[in-house]
Amino acid sequence: MTNFSDYRTHVGEDPEKFFKSTVFEGTGLKLGTNCLEPGQSQPAHVHDDQDKFYYVVEGHGEFVVGEETQAAGAGMVVWAPAGASHGVANNGSSRLVLLVGLARSQGEAAPTSSPSSPRRPLMPTKRVRKSTKRTVRKVKKTARRAKRKATKTAKRAKKAVGRAKKKATKTAKKVRKAAKRARKAVKRGTKKAKRTAKRAKTAATKVRKKASKAAKRTKRALGVAGKRAATTAKRARKAVRRIKKKR
């Protein structure tokens, strides 16, 4: 049997009743874990010959010791001396994990045994208290390490989220800039196309005007040529008549 134990290996869930697990059981000391889910409770009860303590490892609970009722969170120790009524209820929203210790109260006589069986010696009270204190210190250290580890993990996650957010912001800016450049390019292309169409239209109009002028000039030239040809024909006929008369 090892002298070291991790309380997390003794954590569990029981839907019908709160979860219990034994961590260590010696001659005069018994250590275990109690896990209460939200809404579960341990009814008030009494140990006539045993002192008991609760060390809150995780969560929050409402404890009753005698006529005193008080809420306690992680790191708190609740002590119930022998003969005192005690109990606990989980009225929170998360699991309540307790390290529970039971030890014979001071001044208790050793249990009687039959002659055939050897007498088991009682563990001295000071040793019980020292062992309990050591166990509590170990649990506190484990809780502090777990808390530091969780804090570091949370910080790393926060930094990762920040980096992802910055990267997403940069990507969004790049996309917006690219879209803006594309719109400008489209505008430039549209303006250029409009200018080209306008130039083509102007050139076509000029060509039509030149063609029309050339046609008019050609028509005038044809008219003048026709008139000249008619005049020449008339002169030729007159000349022919004169020649005939002379004969």
Side-chain angles (χ1 to χ4, degrees), residues 10-30:
H10 298 274
V11 171
E13 178 182 357
D14 189 340
E16 297 180 358
K17 186 181 178 182
F18 68 91
F19 179 84
K20 295 176 69 175
S21 177
T22 301
V23 178
F24 166 80
E25 186 170 6
T27 304
L29 174 67
K30 181 179 180 180

Side-chain angles (χ1 to χ4, degrees), residues 156-167:
R156 287 196 293 268
K158 190 174 181 181
K159 288 181 180 179
V161 170
R163 289 194 296 269
K165 190 175 181 181
K166 287 182 180 179
K167 190 174 181 180

Side-chain angles (χ1 to χ4, degrees), residues 191-206:
K191 289 180 180 179
K192 190 174 181 180
K194 285 182 178 179
R195 286 197 297 269
T196 303
K198 189 174 181 180
R199 288 171 187 162
K201 189 175 180 180
T202 303
T205 303
K206 288 181 180 179

Side-chain angles (χ1 to χ4, degrees), residues 102-206:
L102 286 168
R104 292 192 182 93
S105 62
Q106 186 176 4
E108 181 190 356
T112 58
S113 59
S114 61
S116 59
S117 61
R119 184 179 177 181
R120 298 181 65 186
L122 289 175
M123 183 181 291
T125 304
K126 288 184 178 180
R127 290 182 60 187
V128 172
R129 291 179 178 176
K130 287 181 179 180
S131 177
T132 303
K133 287 181 180 180
R134 284 197 299 270
T135 304
V136 171
R137 283 197 295 270
K138 288 178 183 178
V139 172
K140 284 184 177 180
K141 286 182 180 179
T142 303
R144 284 196 293 269
R145 285 197 295 268
K147 187 176 180 180
R148 286 196 296 268
K149 189 174 180 180
T151 303
K152 289 180 180 179
T153 303
K155 286 182 179 180
R156 287 196 293 268
K158 190 174 181 181
K159 288 181 180 179
V161 170
R163 289 194 296 269
K165 190 175 181 181
K166 287 182 180 179
K167 190 174 181 180
T169 303
K170 288 181 180 179
T171 304
K173 286 182 179 179
K174 289 180 181 178
V175 169
R176 285 196 295 269
K177 287 181 179 180
K180 191 174 181 180
R181 289 195 296 269
R183 286 195 296 271
K184 287 183 178 180
V186 169
K187 286 183 179 179
R188 287 196 299 269
T190 303
K191 289 180 180 179
K192 190 174 181 180
K194 285 182 178 179
R195 286 197 297 269
T196 303
K198 189 174 181 180
R199 288 171 187 162
K201 189 175 180 180
T202 303
T205 303
K206 288 181 180 179

Side-chain angles (χ1 to χ4, degrees), residues 57 62 69 90 108 134 136 157 178 188-189 200 203 215 237-238 243:
V57 182
E62 188 173 83
T69 301
N90 183 358
E108 181 190 356
R134 284 197 299 270
V136 171
R188 287 196 299 269
R237 285 195 296 272
K238 286 180 180 180
I243 292 170

